[in-house]
Amino acid sequence: MLTDTEIAVGVHYLVHLDEQDLGDFSSCEGLGVEVVLESREEGGNNGFVWQFPTRLKYPNIKLTRPVSKQTADKIINWVVAAVSGFSRGTGHIEAKTADGETVAKYDLHDVIPVRWTGPSLNADQPKVLTETLEIAHNGFANTASKY
C-alpha cells in the first residue's frame, strides 16, 4: 500500500529555458543519465572483463503538450533566439501535481533546442492537436537537493 501522498499522479511539467517560461507540458520523456563503460580484458584472467566508467551521456528530452494560441509562438521564439546567438542556456523542469505542488525539479545545464514538431493537421481524424519540443543538455545540477 502506498503511503507517500506526494507521489506524482496526474502531473504536468512546467518548463523554464533561459529564464523564459515555456508553460506547462503534459508529457516529459528522456530525463536520465547513462554511464558509458569501457571494457578491458586482462591477460590470463578468463573469469571476467574489467568495466571502467568513462563519461556520462544524457539523452535528449522530449516535451509534449496540446497546442493553444500562445504555445507555438513561445517555443518558436525561444528556438530562434537560442540558435541565432548560439549560446547554451540553462533551464529547469518541474513536475507538479494537479494542485500545483512541486514534486520534483530538474535543473539542466547547457540546454539547446534540437527539434520542434507541430501538430499533424488532418480533418479526417479529429483529435487533440499536440506539439513536441526536443532539447539536448549536458547534465543536471542540484541533484542532492530534495523538493
Side-chain angles (χ1 to χ4, degrees), residues 17 28-34 56-63 78 88-93 106-114 134-141 143:
L17 300 174
C28 177
E29 298 176 30
L31 284 171
V33 62
E34 175 186 351
L56 299 175
K57 277 177 54 175
Y58 300 94
N60 290 350
I61 298 171
K62 290 184 181 180
L63 302 156
W78 175 74
R88 294 176 181 259
T90 59
H92 68 263
I93 298 173
Y106 304 95
D107 292 321
L108 308 172
H109 285 294
D110 296 336
V111 178
I112 57 172
V114 174
E134 184 175 347
I135 59 174
H137 65 98
N138 286 333
F140 298 100
T143 55

PDB file of all heavy atoms in Angstrom, residues 17 28-34 56-63 78 88-93 106-114 134-141 143:
ATOM      1  N   LEU A  17      13.242  27.749 -19.805  1.00  0.00           N
ATOM      2  CA  LEU A  17      14.513  27.642 -20.510  1.00  0.00           C
ATOM      3  C   LEU A  17      15.042  29.044 -20.756  1.00  0.00           C
ATOM      4  O   LEU A  17      14.328  29.889 -21.290  1.00  0.00           O
ATOM      5  CB  LEU A  17      14.344  26.894 -21.831  1.00  0.00           C
ATOM      6  CG  LEU A  17      13.820  25.456 -21.708  1.00  0.00           C
ATOM      7  CD1 LEU A  17      13.545  24.868 -23.072  1.00  0.00           C
ATOM      8  CD2 LEU A  17      14.798  24.590 -20.936  1.00  0.00           C
ATOM      9  N   CYS A  28       6.714  14.331 -20.524  1.00  0.00           N
ATOM     10  CA  CYS A  28       8.152  14.605 -20.471  1.00  0.00           C
ATOM     11  C   CYS A  28       8.877  13.266 -20.528  1.00  0.00           C
ATOM     12  O   CYS A  28       8.730  12.445 -19.629  1.00  0.00           O
ATOM     13  CB  CYS A  28       8.486  15.347 -19.185  1.00  0.00           C
ATOM     14  SG  CYS A  28      10.243  15.674 -18.964  1.00  0.00           S
ATOM     15  N   GLU A  29       9.644  13.042 -21.602  1.00  0.00           N
ATOM     16  CA  GLU A  29      10.376  11.785 -21.772  1.00  0.00           C
ATOM     17  C   GLU A  29      11.857  12.071 -21.929  1.00  0.00           C
ATOM     18  O   GLU A  29      12.232  13.053 -22.546  1.00  0.00           O
ATOM     19  CB  GLU A  29       9.900  11.058 -23.036  1.00  0.00           C
ATOM     20  CG  GLU A  29       8.451  10.662 -23.031  1.00  0.00           C
ATOM     21  CD  GLU A  29       8.046  10.029 -24.350  1.00  0.00           C
ATOM     22  OE1 GLU A  29       8.888   9.402 -25.005  1.00  0.00           O
ATOM     23  OE2 GLU A  29       6.877  10.189 -24.719  1.00  0.00           O
ATOM     24  N   GLY A  30      12.688  11.203 -21.383  1.00  0.00           N
ATOM     25  CA  GLY A  30      14.119  11.292 -21.611  1.00  0.00           C
ATOM     26  C   GLY A  30      14.939  11.818 -20.453  1.00  0.00           C
ATOM     27  O   GLY A  30      16.152  11.951 -20.596  1.00  0.00           O
ATOM     28  N   LEU A  31      14.328  12.125 -19.321  1.00  0.00           N
ATOM     29  CA  LEU A  31      15.132  12.544 -18.175  1.00  0.00           C
ATOM     30  C   LEU A  31      15.934  11.340 -17.707  1.00  0.00           C
ATOM     31  O   LEU A  31      15.374  10.320 -17.324  1.00  0.00           O
ATOM     32  CB  LEU A  31      14.236  13.042 -17.039  1.00  0.00           C
ATOM     33  CG  LEU A  31      13.644  14.421 -17.203  1.00  0.00           C
ATOM     34  CD1 LEU A  31      12.612  14.679 -16.118  1.00  0.00           C
ATOM     35  CD2 LEU A  31      14.714  15.483 -17.169  1.00  0.00           C
ATOM     36  N   GLY A  32      17.234  11.451 -17.763  1.00  0.00           N
ATOM     37  CA  GLY A  32      18.060  10.328 -17.344  1.00  0.00           C
ATOM     38  C   GLY A  32      19.524  10.582 -17.614  1.00  0.00           C
ATOM     39  O   GLY A  32      19.924  11.617 -18.136  1.00  0.00           O
ATOM     40  N   VAL A  33      20.327   9.593 -17.261  1.00  0.00           N
ATOM     41  CA  VAL A  33      21.772   9.650 -17.477  1.00  0.00           C
ATOM     42  C   VAL A  33      22.259   8.222 -17.675  1.00  0.00           C
ATOM     43  O   VAL A  33      21.729   7.283 -17.090  1.00  0.00           O
ATOM     44  CB  VAL A  33      22.494  10.337 -16.293  1.00  0.00           C
ATOM     45  CG1 VAL A  33      22.297   9.578 -15.004  1.00  0.00           C
ATOM     46  CG2 VAL A  33      23.958  10.538 -16.592  1.00  0.00           C
ATOM     47  N   GLU A  34      23.252   8.078 -18.527  1.00  0.00           N
ATOM     48  CA  GLU A  34      23.846   6.767 -18.788  1.00  0.00           C
ATOM     49  C   GLU A  34      25.346   6.863 -18.521  1.00  0.00           C
ATOM     50  O   GLU A  34      26.007   7.805 -18.955  1.00  0.00           O
ATOM     51  CB  GLU A  34      23.616   6.372 -20.248  1.00  0.00           C
ATOM     52  CG  GLU A  34      24.295   5.079 -20.641  1.00  0.00           C
ATOM     53  CD  GLU A  34      24.185   4.767 -22.125  1.00  0.00           C
ATOM     54  OE1 GLU A  34      23.430   5.467 -22.827  1.00  0.00           O
ATOM     55  OE2 GLU A  34      24.863   3.845 -22.581  1.00  0.00           O
ATOM     56  N   LEU A  56      29.660  10.403 -18.840  1.00  0.00           N
ATOM     57  CA  LEU A  56      28.204  10.367 -18.695  1.00  0.00           C
ATOM     58  C   LEU A  56      27.563  10.838 -19.997  1.00  0.00           C
ATOM     59  O   LEU A  56      28.039  11.774 -20.632  1.00  0.00           O
ATOM     60  CB  LEU A  56      27.758  11.277 -17.551  1.00  0.00           C
ATOM     61  CG  LEU A  56      28.302  10.931 -16.171  1.00  0.00           C
ATOM     62  CD1 LEU A  56      27.868  11.980 -15.162  1.00  0.00           C
ATOM     63  CD2 LEU A  56      27.844   9.554 -15.737  1.00  0.00           C
ATOM     64  N   LYS A  57      26.468  10.192 -20.375  1.00  0.00           N
ATOM     65  CA  LYS A  57      25.690  10.596 -21.548  1.00  0.00           C
ATOM     66  C   LYS A  57      24.280  10.925 -21.095  1.00  0.00           C
ATOM     67  O   LYS A  57      23.687  10.196 -20.300  1.00  0.00           O
ATOM     68  CB  LYS A  57      25.617   9.443 -22.571  1.00  0.00           C
ATOM     69  CG  LYS A  57      26.806   9.329 -23.464  1.00  0.00           C
ATOM     70  CD  LYS A  57      26.722   8.141 -24.407  1.00  0.00           C
ATOM     71  CE  LYS A  57      25.471   8.087 -25.228  1.00  0.00           C
ATOM     72  NZ  LYS A  57      25.493   6.984 -26.207  1.00  0.00           N
ATOM     73  N   TYR A  58      23.755  12.023 -21.623  1.00  0.00           N
ATOM     74  CA  TYR A  58      22.403  12.456 -21.288  1.00  0.00           C
ATOM     75  C   TYR A  58      21.531  12.381 -22.532  1.00  0.00           C
ATOM     76  O   TYR A  58      21.841  13.011 -23.542  1.00  0.00           O
ATOM     77  CB  TYR A  58      22.421  13.885 -20.749  1.00  0.00           C
ATOM     78  CG  TYR A  58      23.268  14.021 -19.506  1.00  0.00           C
ATOM     79  CD1 TYR A  58      24.598  14.401 -19.595  1.00  0.00           C
ATOM     80  CD2 TYR A  58      22.736  13.729 -18.260  1.00  0.00           C
ATOM     81  CE1 TYR A  58      25.386  14.505 -18.456  1.00  0.00           C
ATOM     82  CE2 TYR A  58      23.513  13.832 -17.117  1.00  0.00           C
ATOM     83  CZ  TYR A  58      24.833  14.215 -17.233  1.00  0.00           C
ATOM     84  OH  TYR A  58      25.604  14.319 -16.104  1.00  0.00           O
ATOM     85  N   PRO A  59      20.435  11.636 -22.484  1.00  0.00           N
ATOM     86  CA  PRO A  59      19.564  11.567 -23.662  1.00  0.00           C
ATOM     87  C   PRO A  59      18.812  12.874 -23.860  1.00  0.00           C
ATOM     88  O   PRO A  59      18.665  13.674 -22.932  1.00  0.00           O
ATOM     89  CB  PRO A  59      18.598  10.428 -23.322  1.00  0.00           C
ATOM     90  CG  PRO A  59      18.587  10.353 -21.835  1.00  0.00           C
ATOM     91  CD  PRO A  59      19.949  10.811 -21.381  1.00  0.00           C
ATOM     92  N   ASN A  60      18.338  13.081 -25.076  1.00  0.00           N
ATOM     93  CA  ASN A  60      17.501  14.247 -25.354  1.00  0.00           C
ATOM     94  C   ASN A  60      16.191  14.121 -24.595  1.00  0.00           C
ATOM     95  O   ASN A  60      15.701  13.018 -24.350  1.00  0.00           O
ATOM     96  CB  ASN A  60      17.219  14.371 -26.848  1.00  0.00           C
ATOM     97  CG  ASN A  60      18.449  14.760 -27.634  1.00  0.00           C
ATOM     98  OD1 ASN A  60      19.477  15.126 -27.068  1.00  0.00           O
ATOM     99  ND2 ASN A  60      18.356  14.683 -28.937  1.00  0.00           N
ATOM    100  N   ILE A  61      15.624  15.264 -24.249  1.00  0.00           N
ATOM    101  CA  ILE A  61      14.348  15.310 -23.528  1.00  0.00           C
ATOM    102  C   ILE A  61      13.266  15.745 -24.503  1.00  0.00           C
ATOM    103  O   ILE A  61      13.433  16.738 -25.217  1.00  0.00           O
ATOM    104  CB  ILE A  61      14.424  16.279 -22.339  1.00  0.00           C
ATOM    105  CG1 ILE A  61      15.478  15.794 -21.344  1.00  0.00           C
ATOM    106  CG2 ILE A  61      13.066  16.426 -21.670  1.00  0.00           C
ATOM    107  CD1 ILE A  61      15.776  16.781 -20.239  1.00  0.00           C
ATOM    108  N   LYS A  62      12.163  14.995 -24.536  1.00  0.00           N
ATOM    109  CA  LYS A  62      11.030  15.335 -25.398  1.00  0.00           C
ATOM    110  C   LYS A  62       9.860  15.769 -24.521  1.00  0.00           C
ATOM    111  O   LYS A  62       9.424  15.036 -23.646  1.00  0.00           O
ATOM    112  CB  LYS A  62      10.613  14.137 -26.245  1.00  0.00           C
ATOM    113  CG  LYS A  62      11.625  13.784 -27.299  1.00  0.00           C
ATOM    114  CD  LYS A  62      11.108  12.658 -28.171  1.00  0.00           C
ATOM    115  CE  LYS A  62      12.145  12.289 -29.214  1.00  0.00           C
ATOM    116  NZ  LYS A  62      11.678  11.195 -30.067  1.00  0.00           N
ATOM    117  N   LEU A  63       9.382  16.979 -24.795  1.00  0.00           N
ATOM    118  CA  LEU A  63       8.266  17.567 -24.058  1.00  0.00           C
ATOM    119  C   LEU A  63       7.087  17.711 -25.015  1.00  0.00           C
ATOM    120  O   LEU A  63       7.237  18.260 -26.098  1.00  0.00           O
ATOM    121  CB  LEU A  63       8.666  18.930 -23.513  1.00  0.00           C
ATOM    122  CG  LEU A  63       9.889  18.933 -22.593  1.00  0.00           C
ATOM    123  CD1 LEU A  63      10.559  20.280 -22.582  1.00  0.00           C
ATOM    124  CD2 LEU A  63       9.477  18.507 -21.202  1.00  0.00           C
ATOM    125  N   TRP A  78      11.748  31.026 -28.678  1.00  0.00           N
ATOM    126  CA  TRP A  78      12.893  30.558 -27.903  1.00  0.00           C
ATOM    127  C   TRP A  78      13.903  29.841 -28.799  1.00  0.00           C
ATOM    128  O   TRP A  78      15.114  30.071 -28.688  1.00  0.00           O
ATOM    129  CB  TRP A  78      12.456  29.633 -26.768  1.00  0.00           C
ATOM    130  CG  TRP A  78      13.643  29.068 -26.048  1.00  0.00           C
ATOM    131  CD1 TRP A  78      14.460  29.722 -25.171  1.00  0.00           C
ATOM    132  CD2 TRP A  78      14.182  27.753 -26.188  1.00  0.00           C
ATOM    133  NE1 TRP A  78      15.466  28.885 -24.749  1.00  0.00           N
ATOM    134  CE2 TRP A  78      15.314  27.671 -25.361  1.00  0.00           C
ATOM    135  CE3 TRP A  78      13.813  26.633 -26.929  1.00  0.00           C
ATOM    136  CZ2 TRP A  78      16.080  26.516 -25.246  1.00  0.00           C
ATOM    137  CZ3 TRP A  78      14.571  25.481 -26.819  1.00  0.00           C
ATOM    138  CH2 TRP A  78      15.698  25.429 -25.986  1.00  0.00           C
ATOM    139  N   ARG A  88      24.565  28.332 -25.236  1.00  0.00           N
ATOM    140  CA  ARG A  88      23.893  27.280 -24.481  1.00  0.00           C
ATOM    141  C   ARG A  88      23.345  27.882 -23.194  1.00  0.00           C
ATOM    142  O   ARG A  88      24.073  28.538 -22.457  1.00  0.00           O
ATOM    143  CB  ARG A  88      24.861  26.149 -24.164  1.00  0.00           C
ATOM    144  CG  ARG A  88      25.311  25.418 -25.411  1.00  0.00           C
ATOM    145  CD  ARG A  88      26.338  24.369 -25.070  1.00  0.00           C
ATOM    146  NE  ARG A  88      26.772  23.692 -26.262  1.00  0.00           N
ATOM    147  CZ  ARG A  88      26.337  22.491 -26.624  1.00  0.00           C
ATOM    148  NH1 ARG A  88      25.460  21.857 -25.889  1.00  0.00           N
ATOM    149  NH2 ARG A  88      26.777  21.922 -27.714  1.00  0.00           N
ATOM    150  N   GLY A  89      22.083  27.659 -22.959  1.00  0.00           N
ATOM    151  CA  GLY A  89      21.437  28.243 -21.802  1.00  0.00           C
ATOM    152  C   GLY A  89      21.231  27.247 -20.680  1.00  0.00           C
ATOM    153  O   GLY A  89      21.736  26.135 -20.708  1.00  0.00           O
ATOM    154  N   THR A  90      20.486  27.681 -19.706  1.00  0.00           N
ATOM    155  CA  THR A  90      20.121  26.812 -18.596  1.00  0.00           C
ATOM    156  C   THR A  90      18.609  26.679 -18.583  1.00  0.00           C
ATOM    157  O   THR A  90      17.897  27.406 -19.267  1.00  0.00           O
ATOM    158  CB  THR A  90      20.591  27.392 -17.250  1.00  0.00           C
ATOM    159  OG1 THR A  90      19.984  28.673 -17.082  1.00  0.00           O
ATOM    160  CG2 THR A  90      22.100  27.524 -17.212  1.00  0.00           C
ATOM    161  N   GLY A  91      18.136  25.765 -17.795  1.00  0.00           N
ATOM    162  CA  GLY A  91      16.699  25.597 -17.685  1.00  0.00           C
ATOM    163  C   GLY A  91      16.345  24.681 -16.547  1.00  0.00           C
ATOM    164  O   GLY A  91      17.214  24.091 -15.899  1.00  0.00           O
ATOM    165  N   HIS A  92      15.061  24.579 -16.299  1.00  0.00           N
ATOM    166  CA  HIS A  92      14.599  23.587 -15.328  1.00  0.00           C
ATOM    167  C   HIS A  92      13.210  23.094 -15.706  1.00  0.00           C
ATOM    168  O   HIS A  92      12.447  23.781 -16.377  1.00  0.00           O
ATOM    169  CB  HIS A  92      14.661  24.109 -13.886  1.00  0.00           C
ATOM    170  CG  HIS A  92      13.706  25.203 -13.572  1.00  0.00           C
ATOM    171  ND1 HIS A  92      14.057  26.513 -13.600  1.00  0.00           N
ATOM    172  CD2 HIS A  92      12.403  25.179 -13.203  1.00  0.00           C
ATOM    173  CE1 HIS A  92      13.022  27.257 -13.268  1.00  0.00           C
ATOM    174  NE2 HIS A  92      12.000  26.472 -13.024  1.00  0.00           N
ATOM    175  N   ILE A  93      12.960  21.883 -15.278  1.00  0.00           N
ATOM    176  CA  ILE A  93      11.675  21.233 -15.488  1.00  0.00           C
ATOM    177  C   ILE A  93      11.141  20.862 -14.117  1.00  0.00           C
ATOM    178  O   ILE A  93      11.842  20.225 -13.328  1.00  0.00           O
ATOM    179  CB  ILE A  93      11.831  19.974 -16.364  1.00  0.00           C
ATOM    180  CG1 ILE A  93      12.370  20.353 -17.740  1.00  0.00           C
ATOM    181  CG2 ILE A  93      10.502  19.225 -16.475  1.00  0.00           C
ATOM    182  CD1 ILE A  93      12.725  19.168 -18.618  1.00  0.00           C
ATOM    183  N   TYR A 106      14.171  19.516 -11.887  1.00  0.00           N
ATOM    184  CA  TYR A 106      15.401  19.107 -12.559  1.00  0.00           C
ATOM    185  C   TYR A 106      16.023  20.331 -13.219  1.00  0.00           C
ATOM    186  O   TYR A 106      15.458  20.883 -14.152  1.00  0.00           O
ATOM    187  CB  TYR A 106      15.096  18.031 -13.603  1.00  0.00           C
ATOM    188  CG  TYR A 106      14.379  16.844 -13.017  1.00  0.00           C
ATOM    189  CD1 TYR A 106      12.988  16.767 -13.060  1.00  0.00           C
ATOM    190  CD2 TYR A 106      15.079  15.837 -12.390  1.00  0.00           C
ATOM    191  CE1 TYR A 106      12.322  15.698 -12.507  1.00  0.00           C
ATOM    192  CE2 TYR A 106      14.411  14.750 -11.826  1.00  0.00           C
ATOM    193  CZ  TYR A 106      13.038  14.688 -11.892  1.00  0.00           C
ATOM    194  OH  TYR A 106      12.378  13.634 -11.336  1.00  0.00           O
ATOM    195  N   ASP A 107      17.190  20.740 -12.715  1.00  0.00           N
ATOM    196  CA  ASP A 107      17.921  21.862 -13.296  1.00  0.00           C
ATOM    197  C   ASP A 107      18.865  21.319 -14.359  1.00  0.00           C
ATOM    198  O   ASP A 107      19.593  20.352 -14.117  1.00  0.00           O
ATOM    199  CB  ASP A 107      18.703  22.616 -12.224  1.00  0.00           C
ATOM    200  CG  ASP A 107      17.789  23.337 -11.257  1.00  0.00           C
ATOM    201  OD1 ASP A 107      16.770  23.881 -11.718  1.00  0.00           O
ATOM    202  OD2 ASP A 107      18.096  23.370 -10.052  1.00  0.00           O
ATOM    203  N   LEU A 108      18.867  21.949 -15.526  1.00  0.00           N
ATOM    204  CA  LEU A 108      19.629  21.469 -16.668  1.00  0.00           C
ATOM    205  C   LEU A 108      20.712  22.477 -17.055  1.00  0.00           C
ATOM    206  O   LEU A 108      20.482  23.679 -17.044  1.00  0.00           O
ATOM    207  CB  LEU A 108      18.704  21.250 -17.867  1.00  0.00           C
ATOM    208  CG  LEU A 108      17.473  20.375 -17.619  1.00  0.00           C
ATOM    209  CD1 LEU A 108      16.557  20.409 -18.823  1.00  0.00           C
ATOM    210  CD2 LEU A 108      17.886  18.961 -17.293  1.00  0.00           C
ATOM    211  N   HIS A 109      21.893  21.957 -17.434  1.00  0.00           N
ATOM    212  CA  HIS A 109      22.999  22.788 -17.919  1.00  0.00           C
ATOM    213  C   HIS A 109      23.094  22.697 -19.439  1.00  0.00           C
ATOM    214  O   HIS A 109      22.858  21.651 -20.026  1.00  0.00           O
ATOM    215  CB  HIS A 109      24.339  22.300 -17.341  1.00  0.00           C
ATOM    216  CG  HIS A 109      24.538  22.651 -15.920  1.00  0.00           C
ATOM    217  ND1 HIS A 109      24.670  23.941 -15.472  1.00  0.00           N
ATOM    218  CD2 HIS A 109      24.638  21.875 -14.817  1.00  0.00           C
ATOM    219  CE1 HIS A 109      24.844  23.940 -14.169  1.00  0.00           C
ATOM    220  NE2 HIS A 109      24.816  22.693 -13.748  1.00  0.00           N
ATOM    221  N   ASP A 110      23.503  23.784 -20.058  1.00  0.00           N
ATOM    222  CA  ASP A 110      23.816  23.818 -21.488  1.00  0.00           C
ATOM    223  C   ASP A 110      22.674  23.288 -22.355  1.00  0.00           C
ATOM    224  O   ASP A 110      22.848  22.376 -23.157  1.00  0.00           O
ATOM    225  CB  ASP A 110      25.100  23.037 -21.787  1.00  0.00           C
ATOM    226  CG  ASP A 110      26.314  23.656 -21.128  1.00  0.00           C
ATOM    227  OD1 ASP A 110      26.281  24.864 -20.852  1.00  0.00           O
ATOM    228  OD2 ASP A 110      27.293  22.928 -20.896  1.00  0.00           O
ATOM    229  N   VAL A 111      21.520  23.881 -22.200  1.00  0.00           N
ATOM    230  CA  VAL A 111      20.336  23.449 -22.953  1.00  0.00           C
ATOM    231  C   VAL A 111      20.351  24.073 -24.342  1.00  0.00           C
ATOM    232  O   VAL A 111      20.588  25.274 -24.491  1.00  0.00           O
ATOM    233  CB  VAL A 111      19.045  23.865 -22.215  1.00  0.00           C
ATOM    234  CG1 VAL A 111      17.816  23.461 -22.998  1.00  0.00           C
ATOM    235  CG2 VAL A 111      19.015  23.254 -20.826  1.00  0.00           C
ATOM    236  N   ILE A 112      20.105  23.244 -25.352  1.00  0.00           N
ATOM    237  CA  ILE A 112      19.974  23.735 -26.722  1.00  0.00           C
ATOM    238  C   ILE A 112      18.786  23.038 -27.380  1.00  0.00           C
ATOM    239  O   ILE A 112      18.488  21.889 -27.070  1.00  0.00           O
ATOM    240  CB  ILE A 112      21.252  23.524 -27.565  1.00  0.00           C
ATOM    241  CG1 ILE A 112      21.647  22.053 -27.591  1.00  0.00           C
ATOM    242  CG2 ILE A 112      22.381  24.373 -27.075  1.00  0.00           C
ATOM    243  CD1 ILE A 112      22.766  21.749 -28.551  1.00  0.00           C
ATOM    244  N   PRO A 113      18.095  23.737 -28.263  1.00  0.00           N
ATOM    245  CA  PRO A 113      16.971  23.101 -28.954  1.00  0.00           C
ATOM    246  C   PRO A 113      17.479  22.113 -30.000  1.00  0.00           C
ATOM    247  O   PRO A 113      18.497  22.336 -30.647  1.00  0.00           O
ATOM    248  CB  PRO A 113      16.249  24.277 -29.624  1.00  0.00           C
ATOM    249  CG  PRO A 113      17.283  25.334 -29.761  1.00  0.00           C
ATOM    250  CD  PRO A 113      18.251  25.146 -28.639  1.00  0.00           C
ATOM    251  N   VAL A 114      16.756  21.017 -30.147  1.00  0.00           N
ATOM    252  CA  VAL A 114      17.071  20.012 -31.160  1.00  0.00           C
ATOM    253  C   VAL A 114      16.002  20.005 -32.240  1.00  0.00           C
ATOM    254  O   VAL A 114      16.300  20.031 -33.426  1.00  0.00           O
ATOM    255  CB  VAL A 114      17.183  18.597 -30.535  1.00  0.00           C
ATOM    256  CG1 VAL A 114      17.373  17.536 -31.596  1.00  0.00           C
ATOM    257  CG2 VAL A 114      18.309  18.562 -29.519  1.00  0.00           C
ATOM    258  N   GLU A 134      11.961  19.036 -28.495  1.00  0.00           N
ATOM    259  CA  GLU A 134      13.063  18.160 -28.108  1.00  0.00           C
ATOM    260  C   GLU A 134      14.270  19.033 -27.810  1.00  0.00           C
ATOM    261  O   GLU A 134      14.649  19.887 -28.611  1.00  0.00           O
ATOM    262  CB  GLU A 134      13.382  17.174 -29.220  1.00  0.00           C
ATOM    263  CG  GLU A 134      14.439  16.166 -28.855  1.00  0.00           C
ATOM    264  CD  GLU A 134      14.649  15.113 -29.929  1.00  0.00           C
ATOM    265  OE1 GLU A 134      13.820  15.008 -30.854  1.00  0.00           O
ATOM    266  OE2 GLU A 134      15.669  14.392 -29.844  1.00  0.00           O
ATOM    267  N   ILE A 135      14.864  18.816 -26.645  1.00  0.00           N
ATOM    268  CA  ILE A 135      16.031  19.593 -26.232  1.00  0.00           C
ATOM    269  C   ILE A 135      17.170  18.650 -25.852  1.00  0.00           C
ATOM    270  O   ILE A 135      16.941  17.515 -25.456  1.00  0.00           O
ATOM    271  CB  ILE A 135      15.711  20.540 -25.050  1.00  0.00           C
ATOM    272  CG1 ILE A 135      15.210  19.746 -23.844  1.00  0.00           C
ATOM    273  CG2 ILE A 135      14.718  21.609 -25.460  1.00  0.00           C
ATOM    274  CD1 ILE A 135      15.006  20.583 -22.585  1.00  0.00           C
ATOM    275  N   ALA A 136      18.396  19.151 -25.985  1.00  0.00           N
ATOM    276  CA  ALA A 136      19.587  18.438 -25.527  1.00  0.00           C
ATOM    277  C   ALA A 136      20.183  19.234 -24.372  1.00  0.00           C
ATOM    278  O   ALA A 136      19.964  20.444 -24.258  1.00  0.00           O
ATOM    279  CB  ALA A 136      20.592  18.302 -26.662  1.00  0.00           C
ATOM    280  N   HIS A 137      20.934  18.541 -23.517  1.00  0.00           N
ATOM    281  CA  HIS A 137      21.580  19.225 -22.387  1.00  0.00           C
ATOM    282  C   HIS A 137      22.842  18.461 -22.004  1.00  0.00           C
ATOM    283  O   HIS A 137      23.059  17.342 -22.451  1.00  0.00           O
ATOM    284  CB  HIS A 137      20.616  19.353 -21.194  1.00  0.00           C
ATOM    285  CG  HIS A 137      20.228  18.049 -20.595  1.00  0.00           C
ATOM    286  ND1 HIS A 137      20.831  17.542 -19.475  1.00  0.00           N
ATOM    287  CD2 HIS A 137      19.308  17.132 -20.973  1.00  0.00           C
ATOM    288  CE1 HIS A 137      20.282  16.377 -19.170  1.00  0.00           C
ATOM    289  NE2 HIS A 137      19.362  16.105 -20.062  1.00  0.00           N
ATOM    290  N   ASN A 138      23.664  19.096 -21.173  1.00  0.00           N
ATOM    291  CA  ASN A 138      24.923  18.487 -20.749  1.00  0.00           C
ATOM    292  C   ASN A 138      24.951  18.155 -19.268  1.00  0.00           C
ATOM    293  O   ASN A 138      26.013  18.173 -18.653  1.00  0.00           O
ATOM    294  CB  ASN A 138      26.101  19.406 -21.091  1.00  0.00           C
ATOM    295  CG  ASN A 138      26.401  19.411 -22.561  1.00  0.00           C
ATOM    296  OD1 ASN A 138      26.124  18.446 -23.258  1.00  0.00           O
ATOM    297  ND2 ASN A 138      26.962  20.498 -23.050  1.00  0.00           N
ATOM    298  N   GLY A 139      23.809  17.864 -18.690  1.00  0.00           N
ATOM    299  CA  GLY A 139      23.818  17.414 -17.308  1.00  0.00           C
ATOM    300  C   GLY A 139      22.861  18.152 -16.400  1.00  0.00           C
ATOM    301  O   GLY A 139      22.231  19.127 -16.771  1.00  0.00           O
ATOM    302  N   PHE A 140      22.790  17.632 -15.179  1.00  0.00           N
ATOM    303  CA  PHE A 140      21.894  18.142 -14.153  1.00  0.00           C
ATOM    304  C   PHE A 140      22.679  18.900 -13.086  1.00  0.00           C
ATOM    305  O   PHE A 140      23.862  18.671 -12.890  1.00  0.00           O
ATOM    306  CB  PHE A 140      21.150  16.992 -13.460  1.00  0.00           C
ATOM    307  CG  PHE A 140      20.283  16.197 -14.376  1.00  0.00           C
ATOM    308  CD1 PHE A 140      20.716  14.990 -14.883  1.00  0.00           C
ATOM    309  CD2 PHE A 140      19.021  16.646 -14.727  1.00  0.00           C
ATOM    310  CE1 PHE A 140      19.911  14.241 -15.724  1.00  0.00           C
ATOM    311  CE2 PHE A 140      18.209  15.918 -15.569  1.00  0.00           C
ATOM    312  CZ  PHE A 140      18.662  14.698 -16.071  1.00  0.00           C
ATOM    313  N   ALA A 141      21.990  19.760 -12.361  1.00  0.00           N
ATOM    314  CA  ALA A 141      22.559  20.456 -11.203  1.00  0.00           C
ATOM    315  C   ALA A 141      21.649  20.187 -10.012  1.00  0.00           C
ATOM    316  O   ALA A 141      20.495  19.797 -10.178  1.00  0.00           O
ATOM    317  CB  ALA A 141      22.644  21.954 -11.464  1.00  0.00           C
ATOM    318  N   THR A 143      21.463  17.843  -7.810  1.00  0.00           N
ATOM    319  CA  THR A 143      20.882  16.504  -7.742  1.00  0.00           C
ATOM    320  C   THR A 143      20.700  16.032  -6.299  1.00  0.00           C
ATOM    321  O   THR A 143      19.911  15.138  -6.065  1.00  0.00           O
ATOM    322  CB  THR A 143      21.762  15.489  -8.495  1.00  0.00           C
ATOM    323  OG1 THR A 143      23.090  15.565  -7.972  1.00  0.00           O
ATOM    324  CG2 THR A 143      21.770  15.785  -9.975  1.00  0.00           C
TER     325      THR A 143
END
